[in-house]
Amino acid sequence: MSLCDVGVIGLAVMGENLAKNFVSNHFKVAVYNRTGEVTRKLMKASPELAGKLVACFDLAELVGNLKTPRKIIIMVKAGLAVDKVIEGLLPYLSKEDIIIDGGNSYYRDTSQRFKALLLQSIHYVGMGVSGGEKGALQGPSLMPGGSEKIVMQILPMLQKVAAKKPVPCVYYMGGEGAGHFVKMVHNGIEYAEMQIIAEVYDIFRKIYSYDNEKIASIFQDFQTSDLNSYLLGITTDILKRKDDLTGLYLVDLIKDQAQGKGTGKWTIMESLEYGTPVPSIYGAFSARTISAERLLREQIYAIHGKKILKKIPSENLLDIVKDAMRAAKILSYAQGLNLIAEASRVNEWKTNLVDVVSSWRDGCIIRCFMLEPMISALAQNSNLLLTREFAGTLNEAMTPLKQILFLGLESGVATPAMSGACWYFEYFSAINLPTNLIQAQRDYFGAHTYSRTDRDGVFHTIWE
């Protein structure tokens, strides 16, 4: 029997669908799951894959079924589970074998594993995978990082299974943990995008009393503009969906308690570490955190009651909302891309932002129309705020964004992600910030010194 081209460890929905994707692209795949019953269930449900999927029931069997140098993709929960799999594999691996971690691992863990395995001549690739279960099956966005030589070695295989628009959405992200860092920030941008859409939905339903069908129709119209995105598209579907049990709109029956898997929190932590602010992402993360406190929110609502709602005239509303969403979206991407650029600089990853955005064009959750002009803009300047393509758009869209923020403030509808986008732009586009006063305060109570505008040097004043 011929040996397999690639192995997949972890057969939850992402691992199973990725294995099937490889098979559909003419690869022979060895599969293993810690719980053997999961493997048996997959094989029983997929008789058409017999001979193309090879079921293995221990790691030694999986390794023994692979061509050398072996290529093994791990699709398990981030953290200890990844370390356990690696520990189990090592006794059976040979020099130059390649382990590809396709889960949402923390990039610092990935960097440590990369270095530790390299000492044993085993190659480790941290690869972000985006697109959900459907993307894993039909073609995800892939973000591999590690040794450039090794990523180039496996790139033809990855290109076969990646999304295509029209070229494969998989590019080398940079050294060591770069692949998982890029995926982490991708998820942070995803947080912001989802929150921006949710904030507009909240304004429409609370201030203007629009029903789900009307909001869905508006978003469907937005899809014909440069706001077109996967997330806006699925929002239209969600708003129209009726519940099979009650006949009511399903979204109205879902508790307003949003969850997350940790990548949003990691993005914020790393933004602080690298001194690169991501206020839209922080606003989105904070909104989810507060949403979990349902009981506390009910208690506060009982004390403070309903708010007085004010409106923008309806005839101008949709154009203003579109411009506001456009500005908030561009600024959310700018925040994430600047964080990636700074981490790449500090860690010497040599991450190419054009390649990052190119890998997101299809297959991933944040794919959208604006990525194409971003590619050309980033080829000229790594900061979207300094690019010709987006400077004019932002200048035109900031006033509508502020109108929506004022509307929310006056009406008691919170807009944390859009507010974060606005102050990010205002601070970066300001020549005279009030932080001169803050530095004076620091010098007053802590002798932290300051620099002057009129002469070189470091100064301290005895203020009292």
Side-chain angles (χ1 to χ4, degrees), residues 250-290:
L250 182 56
V251 70
D252 296 333
L253 301 174
I254 296 174
K255 290 184 177 180
D256 62 345
Q257 295 170 294
Q259 300 172 349
K261 288 190 174 180
T263 45
K265 179 180 178 180
W266 290 345
T267 304
I268 294 160
M269 289 166 50
E270 294 306 319
S271 78
L272 297 173
E273 179 69 25
Y274 291 106
T276 305
V278 289
S280 297
I281 298 170
Y282 180 74
F285 176 79
S286 299
R288 291 194 191 189
T289 303
I290 293 171

Side-chain angles (χ1 to χ4, degrees), residues 159-173:
Q159 288 173 332
K160 294 283 187 182
V161 298
K164 317 279 192 305
K165 191 177 181 178
V167 297
C169 294
V170 51
Y171 295 82
Y172 174 59
M173 295 291 103

